[in-house]
Amino acid sequence: MDTEQAFITVAVVFEAAGALAMIVGAVIAIVLGIRTLARGDGGTAAFTTLRTTFGGAILLGLEVLVAADLLRTITSKPSLEDAVILGIIVLIRTILSISIQIEIEGVLPWRRALLTSGAGVVAGEVARERRASAARTPRD
């Protein structure tokens, strides 16, 4: 296997990882939403949990897909057309990411005091769910 083929394989693995992050994130979001609803926190809390967690998973997936696009482009024979296509793809995914971050956090990304990635959002929701479950579970 030559170097170019190895990088193409790595790019395909990154693409699969990005798609998998979104799929797994959707499953986690649904489970957390159902658990929030089952705890009796109400539909609004369940919807917020579902929306926030799924948004974070999409953000994570988009970040990984941008990395895959970069890998695929740098391993191909460079051309102006490839650079323009990559630029457009990255621009679209960046605009989507910013829009999702604003929707999740309710604040412009550059106004946030603490930067949070898509993975950080999902991890925060999972941690919040564990704390809520632990608080409701009677201790022996």
Side-chain angles (χ1 to χ4, degrees), residues 62-119:
L62 284 172
E63 291 169 1
V64 175
L65 290 174
V66 166
D69 288 335
L70 290 170
L71 278 170
R72 190 175 294 277
T73 301
I74 62 172
T75 59
S76 67
K77 293 178 180 45
S79 72
L80 185 57
E81 183 180 342
D82 288 341
V84 169
I85 291 171
L86 174 65
I88 291 170
I89 290 170
V90 170
L91 179 66
I92 291 169
R93 290 188 177 160
T94 301
I95 291 170
L96 284 172
S97 293
I98 290 171
S99 299
I100 293 168
Q101 282 182 329
I102 291 169
E103 191 68 27
I104 290 171
E105 298 170 1
V107 65
L108 297 171
W110 50 87
R111 294 178 126 294
R112 283 180 284 135
L114 181 62
L115 296 175
T116 305
S117 67

Side-chain angles (χ1 to χ4, degrees), residues 18-37:
L20 185 64
M22 289 187 223
I23 292 167
V24 170
V27 171
I28 290 171
I30 290 168
V31 168
L32 293 178
I34 291 170
R35 289 181 68 169
T36 301
L37 194 59

